[in-house]
């Protein structure tokens, strides 16, 4: 186990340092940034209008328009990807009804959140446990609150993990204060701590606990109870691909709005035959008042002229559209307003438009299929504890939310009768919600229409 290699340091000291390392790491910062950007808390919110004065010092200009416009494309990308692969329930193929009961609507709702976490943080987690009624449940843990200790380089086997979270509690004098609670999960038990001032101290209100307490007996899972769901093999958050583009888009919108509102700055006054000033004061007055004092050669001819600065909206428009397109391409999303979707597009155009998001979905599905195998280990262990039948060979089918030309697909299904099995045809029909239920309905209709002596000859009974 990873801790055994840390001779000469206590368990508390080791965990404290790991938390410090994690919270100062680029990985943690990317996770936090990804979460903030998804929620709309982006760098543009810190925008300040500034200028350079004497001594190369930068000062803020509070009297100028300072728009902070956020056109959040990050949440669009994340929601696109999540809904593309997870808006429709995953079909679970198994004869074990107990397993089907586990993957109910509540689980699919949590899975939707897990997929969102995976894109935001690069990796997401589910923690299996038994609730008070003895029912197997799964708790979603945000990736920025989990520190995994992997045994292997591929990050497939866990030795232990830390889960930490902040809570507001009432301290002395009834004043609210934030406390960081830490839970340390090993293969056989959980330990509880409080993290303050960079140090861990045991939580005196809780004692070490086993994972499962049922009917007076204690059990362990036989492994660390955490299932990791990765967005990609590198565990890289989506924000790493699009942050600079998102920042540039916000800046363009905000600067354009500033220039439109800054009427007095569109025209600079040139005041002739008045005393000049030092360069620092010149730049300050130009930014603040939009006026320049100059002296003519002969010292006469005082006058006021203007230098007009035109803001070309078309230039901003081209750059903004280019940035939007780049965000979609680099984030591997799709443009719902693409011209290929106009005028009843054929299936080839639809597939072309969705090619990038399909590649990304293929990668995530491969990772999630491996995670479902790990999840089934805990489902079967739970069934074992309750002396119920376990399940082998459970198949998980992802139903992607891809627009289709239904007419073409239905004709293809009709033309496949006699070539493919009815199950395959029904599964690929665009109106099918559940293949098993649809086959049962077809069989029931056939039994009602045909003479009972010929029912066994039905193609659906094969």
């Amino acid at each position: 186990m990873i801790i055994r290699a840390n001779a000469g340091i206590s368990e508390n000291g080791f965990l404290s340092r790991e938390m410090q390392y994690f919270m100062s790491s680029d990985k943690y910062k990317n996770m936090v940034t990804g979460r903030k950007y998804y929620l709309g808390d982006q760098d543009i919110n810190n925008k300040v209008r500034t200028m350079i004065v004497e001594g190369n010092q930068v000062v803020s200009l509070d009297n100028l328009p300072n728009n902070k416009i956020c056109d959040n494309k990050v949440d669009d990308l994340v929601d696109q990807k999540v809904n593309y692969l997870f808006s429709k329930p995953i079909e679970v193929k198994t004869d074990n009804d107990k397993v089907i009961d586990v993957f109910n609507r509540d689980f699919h709702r949590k899975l939707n959140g897990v997929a969102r976490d995976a894109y935001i943080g690069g990796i997401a987690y589910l923690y299996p446990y038994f609730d008070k009624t003895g029912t197997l449940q799964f708790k979603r843990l945000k990736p920025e609150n989990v520190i995994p200790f992997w045994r292997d380089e591929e990050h497939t086997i866990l030795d232990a993990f830390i889960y930490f979270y902040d809570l507001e509690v009432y301290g002395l004098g009834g004043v609210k204060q934030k406390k960081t609670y830490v839970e340390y999960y090993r293969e056989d038990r959980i330990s509880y701590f409080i993290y303050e001032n960079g140090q861990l101290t045991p939580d005196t209100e809780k004692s070490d606990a086993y994972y499962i307490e049922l009917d007076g007996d204690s059990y362990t899972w036989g492994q660390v109870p955490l299932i990791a769901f990765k967005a990609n093999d590198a565990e890289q958050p989506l924000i790493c691909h699009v942050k600079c583009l998102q920042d540039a888009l916000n800046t363009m919108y905000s600067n354009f709005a500033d220039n439109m509102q800054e009427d007095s700055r569109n025209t600079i006054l040139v005041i002739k035959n008045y005393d000049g000033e030092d360069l620092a004061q010149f730049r300050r007055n130009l930014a603040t008042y939009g006026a320049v004092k100059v002296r003519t050669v002969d010292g006469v001819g005082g006058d006021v002229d203007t230098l007009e600065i035109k803001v070309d909206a078309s230039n901003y428009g081209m750059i903004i559209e280019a940035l939007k397109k780049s965000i979609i391409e680099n984030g591997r999303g799709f443009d719902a307003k693409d011209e290929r979707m106009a005028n009843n597009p054929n299936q080839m155009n639809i597939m072309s438009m969705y090619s990038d998001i399909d590649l990304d979905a293929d990668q995530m599905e491969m990772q999630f299929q491996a995670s479902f195998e790990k999840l089934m280990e805990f489902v079967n262990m739970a069934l074992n504890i309750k002396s119920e039948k376990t399940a082998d060979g459970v198949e998980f089918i992802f139903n992607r939310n891809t627009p289709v030309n239904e007419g073409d697909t239905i004709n293809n299904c009709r033309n496949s009768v006699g070539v493919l099995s009815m199950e395959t045809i029904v599964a690929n029909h665009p109106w099918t919600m559940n293949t098993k239920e649809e086959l049962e309905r077809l069989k029931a209709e056939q039994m009602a229409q045909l003479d009972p002596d010929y029912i066994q000859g039905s193609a659906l009974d094969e």
Side-chain angles (χ1 to χ4, degrees), residues 220-286:
T220 65
W221 293 104
Q223 57 180 306
V224 179
L226 190 69
I227 305 129
F229 292 81
K230 302 178 183 180
N232 49 70
D233 189 58
E235 302 174 16
Q236 188 176 50
L238 177 64
I239 194 66
C240 295
H241 300 279
V242 298
K243 183 180 183 298
C244 59
L245 296 169
Q246 177 68 71
D247 289 340
L249 179 64
N250 294 341
T251 299
M252 293 304 299
Y253 272 120
S254 301
N255 288 349
F256 179 68
D258 287 347
N259 288 329
M260 288 292 97
Q261 293 177 8
E262 196 176 341
D263 295 334
S264 61
R265 300 306 170 272
N266 294 338
T267 300
I268 295 178
L269 302 179
V270 181
I271 305 173
K272 297 180 179 179
N273 202 26
Y274 282 85
D275 289 338
E277 298 165 326
D278 60 78
L279 184 60
Q281 190 64 36
F282 163 82
R283 299 188 64 167
R284 183 188 295 271
N285 285 347
L286 179 61

Side-chain angles (χ1 to χ4, degrees), residues 107-217:
F107 177 85
H108 283 106
R109 177 180 59 82
K110 290 179 182 176
L111 185 63
N112 194 278
V114 167
R116 188 173 293 104
D117 285 343
Y119 279 120
I120 289 174
I123 191 170
Y125 302 98
L126 278 179
Y127 167 69
Y129 70 99
F130 283 94
D131 63 16
K132 293 180 179 179
T133 65
T135 304
L136 178 65
Q137 299 286 355
F138 294 92
K139 180 181 179 181
R140 171 183 157 216
L141 305 182
K142 292 183 179 180
E144 58 265 37
N145 296 114
V146 176
I147 307 175
F149 299 125
W150 298 103
R151 183 180 301 174
D152 60 331
E153 187 177 355
E154 290 78 21
H155 292 184
T156 58
I157 304 173
L158 273 171
D159 271 334
F161 73 93
I162 294 173
Y163 174 60
F164 63 93
Y165 55 95
D166 294 332
L167 283 181
E168 284 191 340
V169 297
Y170 284 100
L172 296 175
V175 178
K176 272 190 176 183
Q177 59 183 16
K178 186 174 69 174
K179 271 193 176 183
T180 301
Y181 291 87
V182 179
E183 299 174 358
Y184 179 45
Y185 292 77
R186 285 159 287 187
E187 187 174 310
D188 56 344
R189 66 188 185 278
I190 314 169
S191 300
Y192 301 93
F193 303 89
I194 295 176
Y195 185 74
E196 290 181 307
N197 302 320
Q199 297 296 323
L200 279 181
T201 56
D203 188 347
T204 56
E205 296 181 0
K206 296 180 180 179
S207 57
D208 286 11
Y210 290 104
Y211 291 113
I212 306 169
E213 298 282 350
L214 288 176
D215 301 326
D217 295 323

